[in-house]
Amino acid sequence: MAKAAELILERPGMRSSTSNTIFVTQTFCYHWTSPLQDTIAPLLKGYQVGLEIGDNDRACFCLVGRMYYLFFTGRTLGSIQKELEAAANVMTQLKQEESKLKITILLSSVKKLRGLDPDASDKMLDSILASAAETRNNLSAYVNVMKLEVFVFFQQWKEAIDLVQKAGNVRLFLSSTFVVVRYTFLAALTYLKAAQSSSGWKKRQMKKCAHKTIQLIQGWAKNGNVNVVHYLRILGAELAVLNGKKGEAKESFNAAIAASSRNGFLQDRALAHELTSAYFKAQGDEFWRDYHIECARTCYQEWGCSEKVEQLNVNK
């Protein structure tokens, strides 16, 4: 369908539909079967063409999609922040308030990861979440995704599971964007961590939720989604930890690191190293614990996640 839409654009007189077509195909379609990185350049083109033809709504939709996908592909946080600040200014001039709020959500999260006035970032996200709850739009879903993102990177698992349980069906409001894929992975990881730290009925419940969520991602991978391969490796490793399968856990952690590195997801490589370090710490293996935490620190530093690096230094 996406290819057909692009072919239609080649017909005379179809330039007015260019920005909308790029927005739909690149935001909702191609990430299911192609590398997420491949959507970045087309979405920028959609933004530029939209401005040229006066389709400011779709232009800004393309820009919002591009910024989130830059974040999810592991682009350095410093470079993303600069683009987000510029995008917010553009959207103010174009009076694109909802798109600006989505940019603000991402910008606040990036600043928190960088350690730039985290309290102000929290207040901004909470304010947007409160307003979104009253109007029932999809902004609350974006806030919950980014809050969960931060909780996971800071290993705040209690806050993470509280969010997942209170947020409800976030996927319902995120349609078919990659944002829903990312949230599903983060939720699955959160369920596994909750199961690992629980016992009895709660452990069984969390494990059941994790299995159900992982099955969604497995289905996407089976249908050709190359962007979730390393997600499944990370989740497989943590599931093996939960089940006490040490050999499988070690093998899956190594595969997760390799897949994240190979596919260019820098932030997820950092996360995989950190989770691997925690695994070896639990096994009493100080050498591999220290090796992987140093690798995680290096990756987080390269990503520009200064607050996380500081956290690792404090816990050293």
Side-chain angles (χ1 to χ4, degrees), residues 63 83-93 100 103-104 107:
L63 188 56
E83 288 202 43
L84 285 167
E85 290 170 343
N89 289 332
V90 169
M91 290 173 184
T92 297
Q93 296 173 15
K100 182 183 176 182
I103 290 295
T104 302
L107 178 58

Side-chain angles (χ1 to χ4, degrees), residues 285-303:
D285 190 330
E286 295 183 1
F287 176 83
W288 288 112
R289 176 201 66 187
D290 293 345
Y291 170 79
H292 284 290
I293 205 64
E294 286 303 318
C295 289
R297 182 182 286 105
T298 299
C299 291
Y300 281 126
Q301 185 72 59
E302 184 179 346
W303 187 36

Side-chain angles (χ1 to χ4, degrees), residues 17-266:
S17 300
T18 299
S19 186
N20 184 56
T21 300
I22 290 175
F23 165 65
V24 172
T25 57
Q26 299 298 330
T27 304
F28 299 104
C29 302
Y30 281 129
H31 72 84
W32 292 107
T33 54
S34 301
L36 187 63
Q37 290 88 340
D38 291 354
T39 67
I40 304 300
L43 284 169
L44 178 59
K45 178 183 177 181
Y47 164 68
Q48 294 169 335
V49 172
L51 292 183
E52 291 172 5
I53 64 178
D55 190 353
N56 293 339
D57 289 350
R58 297 305 183 278
C60 289
F61 290 171
C62 286
L63 188 56
V64 168
R66 179 176 184 272
M67 296 311 306
Y68 275 86
Y69 288 6
L70 279 173
F71 177 82
F72 294 138
T73 55
R75 193 69 59 91
T76 59
L77 296 178
S79 65
I80 291 176
Q81 182 176 336
K82 290 180 181 178
E83 288 202 43
L84 285 167
E85 290 170 343
N89 289 332
V90 169
M91 290 173 184
T92 297
Q93 296 173 15
L94 297 176
K95 299 180 179 180
Q96 297 289 320
E97 289 304 316
E98 183 167 338
S99 290
K100 182 183 176 182
L101 283 172
K102 289 177 181 177
I103 290 295
T104 302
I105 292 166
L106 182 54
L107 178 58
S108 297
S109 304
V110 167
K111 285 183 175 180
K112 183 162 186 178
L113 290 167
R114 299 189 71 202
L116 303 175
D117 202 353
D119 290 339
S121 296
D122 285 337
K123 290 179 181 178
M124 176 62 72
L125 292 176
D126 289 341
S127 174
I128 295 173
L129 188 60
S131 299
E134 294 176 1
T135 56
R136 296 185 180 182
N137 56 33
N138 68 348
L139 288 174
S140 61
Y142 277 86
V143 173
N144 284 321
V145 170
M146 294 313 302
K147 285 173 76 73
L148 184 58
E149 191 89 38
V150 172
F151 287 151
V152 167
F153 278 115
F154 289 146
Q155 307 283 288
Q156 295 173 302
W157 300 113
K158 182 182 183 303
E159 292 83 352
I161 193 61
D162 287 346
L163 184 151
V164 170
Q165 292 180 318
K166 292 177 182 178
N169 190 1
V170 170
R171 288 188 292 272
L172 183 66
F173 296 96
L174 295 172
S175 193
S176 297
T177 68
F178 188 78
V179 184
V180 75
V181 177
R182 182 66 180 181
Y183 179 82
T184 304
F185 161 65
L186 296 173
L189 182 57
T190 298
Y191 283 131
L192 287 171
K193 284 296 186 180
Q196 291 171 12
S197 62
S198 303
S199 60
W201 175 83
K202 184 176 180 181
K203 181 174 184 176
R204 292 192 296 273
Q205 182 189 42
M206 293 296 99
K207 187 175 181 180
K208 181 179 179 181
C209 290
H211 273 298
K212 184 177 180 181
T213 311
I214 291 170
Q215 285 176 349
L216 281 175
I217 303 175
Q218 289 173 331
W220 297 334
K222 186 176 181 180
N223 289 328
N225 192 326
V226 297
N227 300 299
V228 302
V229 173
H230 67 293
Y231 290 172
L232 287 175
R233 296 296 190 186
I234 292 172
L235 296 172
E238 291 294 340
L239 182 59
V241 171
L242 178 61
N243 291 329
K245 298 180 178 180
K246 297 180 181 180
E248 183 179 333
K250 182 178 179 180
E251 181 180 336
S252 294
F253 276 126
N254 288 333
I257 293 167
S260 300
S261 178
R262 182 171 59 251
N263 295 331
F265 293 92
L266 176 60

